[in-house]
Amino acid sequence: VEVVPAAGVLRLRYRPKHGVRDAAMLAALLSRAVVSGVPRSELVATKEQPQACYEGVEADIEKLIREGRAVAIERPDTRDRVLFAPTAAKQAPAGLRAAWAAVEVPRGDDLQAALVQRKLLSKEELEVRRARKAAAIKAREEAKRAAKPKRERVGSRKITNTHLDLGK
């Protein structure tokens, strides 16, 4: 929201986040948003942003996607589509992809032994990592135990009906 000076009157004007006014500006915005992208919800009019962009922005977004000038990826957490500029990278040659897939990466203790053998990590660094991981697991377990409310055991008390005379 922007304050517009007027003669003795306070006027406010909505200022869109990206200021896109036509398809060319939309394409330029997406070409700059290679890394983080632009959420579709920031461009399309909603109740919160009634004037987020120009009319027909949705059709232009779909047109850019069809033409290959934009890529849309749906975020699983917000179910919102994020728009990116397509990358200019070409696909790697088949021989390189086959060589990459043929390399077997060791797992677990074998990976740690390979890292020590190739002097990428020392045994001391691995021990520090193990200790840190064990401490984090212990802290998580303690937090989980502390977060659970303790329940009172109902069946542990002896309940008798003292007002009943059972022939004593």
Side-chain angles (χ1 to χ4, degrees):
V1 177
E2 179 181 32
V3 177
V4 179
V9 179
L10 177 66
R11 290 191 177 204
L12 302 175
R13 178 175 64 187
Y14 177 77
R15 187 168 188 175
K17 185 171 186 175
H18 299 291
V20 176
R21 295 188 184 122
D22 57 15
M25 288 180 80
L26 177 63
L29 172 69
L30 293 179
S31 70
R32 291 189 309 269
V34 176
V35 177
S36 60
V38 179
R40 182 184 162 280
S41 60
E42 292 180 3
L43 298 172
V44 178
T46 60
K47 287 182 182 178
E48 295 83 24
Q49 298 177 334
Q51 298 172 342
C53 222
Y54 63 96
E55 285 187 37
V57 69
E58 291 186 62
D60 287 340
I61 289 171
E62 295 304 320
K63 180 180 174 189
L64 288 172
I65 292 171
R66 274 193 315 274
E67 292 175 351
R69 296 173 49 198
V71 177
I73 297 174
E74 186 173 315
R75 290 184 54 184
D77 54 347
T78 61
R79 309 290 297 175
D80 190 16
R81 291 172 68 188
V82 181
L83 305 169
F84 295 91
T87 59
K90 295 180 181 172
Q91 194 172 23
L96 178 62
R97 285 184 288 159
W100 182 272
V103 174
E104 199 170 313
V105 178
R107 300 197 181 272
D109 292 335
D110 295 337
L111 175 62
Q112 293 176 358
L115 290 172
V116 170
Q117 179 185 5
R118 293 183 181 172
K119 298 180 182 177
L120 296 173
L121 285 178
S122 67
K123 288 185 179 182
E124 293 80 25
E125 289 173 319
L126 288 175
E127 289 301 321
V128 168
R129 285 182 175 197
R130 282 188 190 117
R132 190 180 320 134
K133 186 175 182 179
I137 291 171
K138 183 178 178 183
R140 195 176 323 130
E141 291 295 324
E142 287 177 4
K144 193 183 287 185
R145 267 190 250 120
K148 288 184 179 177
K150 303 232 179 203
R151 295 183 186 177
E152 184 178 323
R153 298 181 80 188
V154 176
S156 64
R157 292 183 281 168
K158 184 175 180 182
I159 301 172
T160 57
N161 293 330
T162 56
H163 65 281
L164 295 176
D165 183 21
L166 298 175
K168 289 185 182 178

